Amino acid sequence: MAYIAVTALSHVGLVREHNEDSLVVGPWMLCGTVTENPQTLVFPLGRPLLVAVADGLGGQPAGEVASGLVARRLSWLGPSLDGEDAVRDALDLCNRAVYAAADDDPELFTMGTTVAGVVVTEESMLAFNVGDSKVYDATGDGLRQVSVDDSPPPPPGRRTTSAVTQTLGGGPAFSTVTPHVTAAALSVGDRRLVCSDGLTDPVPDEEIAGLLRVYDDGRAAFELWKAAIDAGGPDNITLALVRVAD
């Protein structure tokens, strides 16, 4: 019988004072907290399984509140996300929920978060994102980004930019979002990496690909985290590796 193995971790990094990332794996959530070691959970293939990373906006208030709100909402909605339209509707609901919470509390004004993730169904792998958190297809020997960055081109001589053009919440007044959602047929051996930019900003794709060619599951998650730490750990590091096996 086919199953889904999900290995995840969330860490504050070396520079930030606290963790504003949140993580959801089916019913399991980490909201603004830290894992000491990678955790692996196994699920039977069947009903939709959602795995997502939400990265609260730095430089704006209550990023951990926004990311946690989205993680909890997605965890609750996850079993019902059986297609692309359902995922888009869920992300619209999350966006409205963030704005509504910010409207109710002046201390949360302009809070926002990015989000990226996958929904694994019996027949397909749905990838989605709003913002610059990423989803990669890590099947085989290559690494291919399947999410679409909501960010402007980086400045000359830079590989990355911290600017984002679309987030859940994050503005002084309500703004709709246009989520990026794609579907692919599911096969045994499929592997996806979902992560915040605390991994991808300091660690180039080529290095991530090299580590994933050698390692899997817990060891892969540890080596990816270590690469980000060795590169200075400038931001919160949250990642989940999703693998379909039999």
Side-chain angles (χ1 to χ4, degrees):
M1 178 180 292
Y3 65 91
I4 309 159
V6 184
T7 303
L9 64 78
S10 188
H11 191 270
V12 71
L14 297 178
V15 174
R16 305 295 189 189
E17 293 185 359
H18 61 283
N19 191 1
E20 293 189 328
D21 289 355
S22 293
L23 172 72
V24 53
V25 180
W28 183 72
M29 287 175 288
L30 282 174
C31 299
T33 56
V34 173
T35 50
E36 296 296 330
N37 296 290
Q39 304 293 313
T40 298
L41 302 173
V42 176
F43 301 87
L45 184 63
R47 66 187 302 188
L49 174 69
L50 180 135
V51 179
V53 169
D55 181 354
L57 296 183
Q60 293 179 216
E64 72 282 1
V65 177
S67 70
L69 187 159
V70 169
R72 288 188 291 272
R73 184 64 60 94
L74 287 176
S75 178
W76 179 67
L77 292 169
S80 69
L81 302 182
D82 56 359
E84 295 180 55
D85 288 344
V87 172
R88 292 189 179 94
D89 290 346
L91 293 172
D92 176 65
L93 287 172
C94 288
N95 185 46
R96 294 178 184 277
V98 173
Y99 275 109
D103 287 344
D104 288 342
D105 187 341
E107 294 187 359
L108 306 182
F109 183 64
T110 73
M111 74 171 181
T113 184
T114 70
V115 68
V118 297
V119 178
V120 187
T121 72
E122 199 163 9
E123 298 179 345
S124 68
M125 180 88 73
L126 297 160
F128 63 86
N129 78 285
V130 175
D132 60 354
S133 293
K134 301 182 193 297
V135 181
Y136 290 95
D137 181 351
T139 306
D141 292 332
L143 188 73
R144 178 177 64 89
Q145 184 174 334
V146 294
S147 56
V148 179
D149 292 338
D150 288 314
S151 56
R158 296 281 301 277
R159 186 176 59 82
T160 63
T161 176
S162 60
V164 289
T165 57
Q166 181 174 232
T167 60
L168 302 178
F174 176 77
S175 178
T176 60
V177 292
T178 304
H180 307 283
V181 185
T182 60
L186 188 73
S187 299
V188 171
D190 282 349
R191 186 167 58 152
R192 299 292 188 271
L193 168 65
V194 183
C195 59
S196 65
D197 62 358
L199 172 65
T200 55
D201 278 359
V203 184
D205 284 3
E206 296 78 12
E207 186 173 351
I208 294 173
L211 292 170
L212 292 177
R213 276 195 295 270
V214 178
Y215 303 112
D216 212 342
D217 296 344
R219 182 62 186 273
F222 172 81
E223 294 294 341
L224 291 171
W225 166 81
K226 184 174 182 296
I229 292 295
D230 289 346
D235 201 352
N236 306 148
I237 307 156
T238 302
L239 64 95
L241 285 163
V242 182
R243 182 172 59 88
V244 181
D246 59 9

